[in-house]
Amino acid sequence: MGLMEPVDTTHHYEAPLIAKLLHKLPHYNITFHRIANTTFRPTDAVYLESLGILGSVPAALLIVSLFGLLLYLMTRCCDRKPRPAHSIKSLKITLSIVTVLCCAAIGLGLYGNDDLHNGLLEVLTAGRKVDNLVSSVRNQTHILENTLAMKIRPQLVELADIFDQPASNQTALSQLIMALNVVQGNVTIAINAAGDIRRPLMGIVMSGFLNMGDQWELIRWPGTVAILALLLVLCAVLLVGVARHSRCALILFSVCGLLAVTGSWLMSGLYLSSSVAVGDLCIDPAEYLASEAPSEMPTDVLLYYTQCESVRSNPFTQRLRESQNAINNARTSMSTVSKVSLVLFKSAGLQPKLGAVTADLNLSERLLTQLTALVDCKAIHYNYLTAARGLCEGGLLGLVLMLIASFIAAILLTVMVWVDSHTWIYIRKRNDYSQVDEPSYISHQPQQNHQNMTRTLPRNHNGPPAISGSHTLAHAGRKHHEMMAHPHVHPHHGTMRPMGTHTLGRLPSHNHSPGHMPGPNNGKYATLSKQCKTLEANDFY
């Protein structure tokens, strides 16, 4: 911990162009008044309202697209006219092209999601390094304080108790006590300086935020991949339905496509608000950090680490220098104490106590040396630049790509649902794809009538034989002409048949009064039996 990262501190953070463009987007509150202060302020209600207004634009487009789709379905749902196969060929080609473009847009979203993931990982990694550096500074100052206050100070108290005993040389004893007081005073100065260094850093605890960021990214990244993969599967279902002319697949896409359109527009709104918010943050991340810094941390401390300019002095330098001077003075005075005390109090066993105090002072000096390297701005500034560039360059670019991909995918999915809803309406069974032409209908009709007549005409045991076989139409036509020429003569016996007997011609008339057609069937063609099929006019052609 505390290793220096190689960085050229003359290069400072500059907001990328994409962040500047997003920051220039108009911010309106709920009353549609443009707000003047567009800095990143996530705790300000007016600023959050402006982000919500921007995010509602894709939601409005969603409502418009769904309303247009509703109007289209209302106009086309009643159109049940069968179409020939070639009439939906253009629709299938259109669906295929739009689906491939939608797959490309989804692929762009996957690429942007990966860029955003990498950018956030850089932010989290750099944040952990900064948190470790700050923790190291706190730990070093805490160890320094404990060494000075919990080890050296009690040992000095014990030495002072020993030096209260009478000595043979009062002048040397006075010099000894004075040197011991100098050591105690310098230890107190070093303890206070270490506390002043550690106190502003006590409120900086980023581990909770970083852990939450890790958990959120652990859910966001695979969740986004899963959603985009489902959209790809849905596009694949549509392509299979188009290729196989499957009505079920096209209907399935129509239903699921509405959910996909809704989700895509909502994701566009979320990505738009997030992109603008990150763009506002990336204009000046140091300003946001200063606003969120603990009240114990002075502003000059934060500016020193975020800018790391040579004209700015280390805010901890004065306290570090005080501690260093105090420990050096304590070591010098402790050397005097050791020399005099060993002469005045030879039999008191002072050597171990004096050696322990000297060792603890040396440890404190080493801790101060390490602390001086830790509080330098270069390491923290390097990680600050890494986090800022990771978020505002790679991460923001990925977020914008996801915004563009979701917006394009939403438009293409809307078109796909429209065209798909127009396509599956005209898909029927395979024998209904094309219209049945009139010659084909006529050519097959006599054969069917022949079969029906053969099946339905019974044999009359008291009259002529039943009509059957392939001579049905010819025999029926001949009888028809004979009966029309001799309406009162039976075709076989030459005698009159009673009215109501079965003939193939019109029934004779005994009453030629106007308005009354002769025969029991009013002049229509009679049936061969009451159970058989009535011969229609087209049966004779």
Side-chain angles (χ1 to χ4, degrees):
M1 289 205 248
L3 294 178
M4 300 288 294
E5 300 286 354
V7 62
D8 186 3
T9 55
T10 59
H11 292 85
H12 302 289
Y13 170 79
E14 294 182 0
L17 178 61
I18 189 171
K20 296 178 181 179
L21 294 177
L22 290 171
H23 182 68
K24 290 181 180 180
L25 289 178
H27 295 61
Y28 294 94
N29 58 11
I30 196 65
T31 59
F32 293 99
H33 290 86
R34 188 166 183 173
I35 61 177
N37 187 7
T38 59
T39 57
F40 182 71
R41 293 167 290 126
T43 57
D44 187 18
V46 177
Y47 179 75
L48 294 179
E49 284 179 2
S50 65
L51 296 180
I53 294 297
L54 288 173
S56 63
V57 174
L61 295 177
L62 168 63
I63 296 175
V64 172
S65 62
L66 292 179
F67 182 73
L69 180 61
L70 177 63
L71 293 179
Y72 168 76
L73 293 178
M74 289 176 62
T75 57
R76 303 301 299 174
C77 65
C78 297
D79 189 357
R80 309 292 293 178
K81 184 179 179 181
R83 302 291 186 189
H86 62 82
S87 65
I88 62 173
K89 185 176 181 180
S90 58
L91 297 177
K92 293 167 66 176
I93 295 176
T94 302
L95 272 179
S96 301
I97 295 175
V98 176
T99 303
V100 172
L101 293 177
C102 185
C103 292
I106 296 173
L108 180 64
L110 289 172
Y111 181 81
N113 182 55
D114 190 63
D115 279 353
L116 177 59
H117 178 68
N118 293 333
L120 292 178
L121 286 183
E122 291 183 5
V123 173
L124 295 174
T125 303
R128 291 196 182 280
K129 290 182 179 180
V130 172
D131 188 54
N132 291 335
L133 288 172
V134 174
S135 299
S136 298
V137 174
R138 286 199 302 262
N139 292 336
Q140 292 289 89
T141 54
H142 182 69
I143 294 173
L144 179 61
E145 284 185 275
N146 286 339
T147 302
L148 295 172
M150 305 303 293
K151 292 184 178 181
I152 297 178
R153 182 176 283 176
Q155 292 172 353
L156 295 177
V157 173
E158 293 179 3
L159 292 175
D161 293 339
I162 295 174
F163 298 158
D164 288 339
Q165 299 176 4
S168 58
N169 190 344
Q170 294 297 323
T171 303
L173 181 60
S174 299
Q175 184 181 1
L176 176 62
I177 293 175
M178 185 181 297
L180 185 62
N181 291 333
V182 171
V183 173
Q184 290 177 339
N186 282 285
V187 167
T188 302
I189 292 174
I191 292 173
N192 294 334
D196 291 340
I197 294 174
R198 184 170 58 91
R199 193 174 298 111
L201 306 178
M202 292 300 296
I204 303 177
V205 180
M206 297 185 294
S207 58
F209 172 77
L210 295 174
N211 291 333
M212 184 178 63
D214 283 335
Q215 295 176 358
W216 181 78
E217 185 61 16
L218 188 63
I219 297 173
R220 188 207 65 81
W221 182 75
T224 304
V225 172
I227 293 174
L228 296 179
L230 286 178
L231 291 180
L232 288 177
V233 171
L234 191 60
C235 293
V237 169
L238 180 59
L239 289 177
V240 171
V242 170
R244 298 182 61 85
H245 213 73
S246 174
R247 194 178 189 221
C248 294
L250 297 181
I251 294 176
L252 177 63
F253 178 83
S254 295
V255 176
C256 298
L258 292 176
L259 299 177
V261 169
T262 304
S264 298
W265 282 118
L266 293 180
M267 285 192 298
S268 299
L270 178 62
Y271 293 151
L272 178 58
S273 300
S274 302
S275 300
V276 174
V278 175
D280 295 337
L281 171 63
C282 292
I283 292 297
D284 192 1
E287 181 180 357
Y288 171 71
L289 293 177
S291 64
E292 295 297 321
S295 58
E296 298 86 3
M297 175 176 285
T299 306
D300 59 341
V301 174
L302 187 62
L303 293 177
Y304 170 73
Y305 288 106
T306 55
Q307 298 180 3
C308 197
E309 296 175 344
S310 58
V311 295
R312 291 183 178 272
S313 61
N314 191 331
F316 299 117
T317 300
Q318 182 179 357
R319 291 300 184 185
L320 289 171
R321 187 178 294 115
E322 291 178 359
S323 297
Q324 189 71 41
N325 294 333
I327 291 177
N328 290 333
N329 294 333
R331 289 178 61 190
T332 303
S333 300
M334 195 64 198
S335 177
T336 303
V337 169
S338 299
K339 293 178 181 180
V340 176
S341 63
L342 290 176
V343 174
L344 292 177
F345 303 96
K346 294 180 180 180
S347 61
L350 296 176
Q351 187 64 41
K353 292 182 174 57
L354 295 174
V357 172
T358 303
D360 289 336
L361 287 175
N362 293 332
L363 175 61
S364 299
E365 187 177 11
R366 289 194 299 270
L367 290 174
L368 278 175
T369 303
Q370 296 175 4
L371 191 60
T372 303
L374 287 174
V375 298
D376 188 74
C377 68
K378 293 182 176 62
I380 295 180
H381 183 67
Y382 173 81
N383 290 287
Y384 164 74
L385 289 179
T386 301
R389 290 169 180 170
L391 176 64
C392 300
E393 292 180 3
L396 184 58
L397 177 61
L399 190 59
V400 171
L401 290 179
M402 294 176 68
L403 168 63
I404 296 173
S406 61
F407 186 80
I408 296 176
I411 296 177
L412 294 178
L413 284 171
T414 303
V415 175
M416 289 161 62
V417 171
W418 283 350
V419 179
D420 177 70
S421 301
H422 183 76
T423 302
W424 70 260
I425 292 177
Y426 299 115
I427 296 180
R428 300 291 187 271
K429 296 180 181 180
R430 191 169 295 275
N431 56 357
D432 291 336
Y433 292 155
S434 57
Q435 292 279 15
V436 179
D437 51 359
E438 191 66 24
S440 176
Y441 174 79
I442 296 176
S443 62
H444 290 285
Q445 189 69 21
Q447 182 178 0
Q448 181 181 2
N449 291 333
H450 292 172
Q451 295 175 356
N452 291 337
M453 291 180 64
T454 304
R455 182 175 63 253
T456 57
L457 294 180
R459 183 177 183 85
N460 191 349
H461 297 285
N462 297 325
I467 303 174
S468 62
S470 60
H471 303 287
T472 303
L473 288 179
H475 183 71
R478 190 166 52 250
K479 292 295 182 180
H480 170 68
H481 290 293
E482 291 177 1
M483 293 304 297
M484 290 298 295
H486 305 285
H488 298 287
V489 181
H490 191 273
H492 294 284
H493 301 284
T495 58
M496 293 295 296
R497 297 280 298 179
M499 296 301 294
T501 57
H502 309 299
T503 64
L504 290 176
R506 291 184 180 274
L507 295 178
S509 175
H510 296 285
N511 185 6
H512 300 283
S513 61
H516 176 73
M517 296 299 294
N521 295 319
N522 295 328
K524 296 181 179 180
Y525 294 106
T527 60
L528 296 177
S529 74
K530 294 181 179 180
Q531 294 81 12
C532 68
K533 177 181 180 297
T534 303
L535 297 178
E536 300 294 340
N538 55 5
D539 291 340
F540 296 96
Y541 296 95

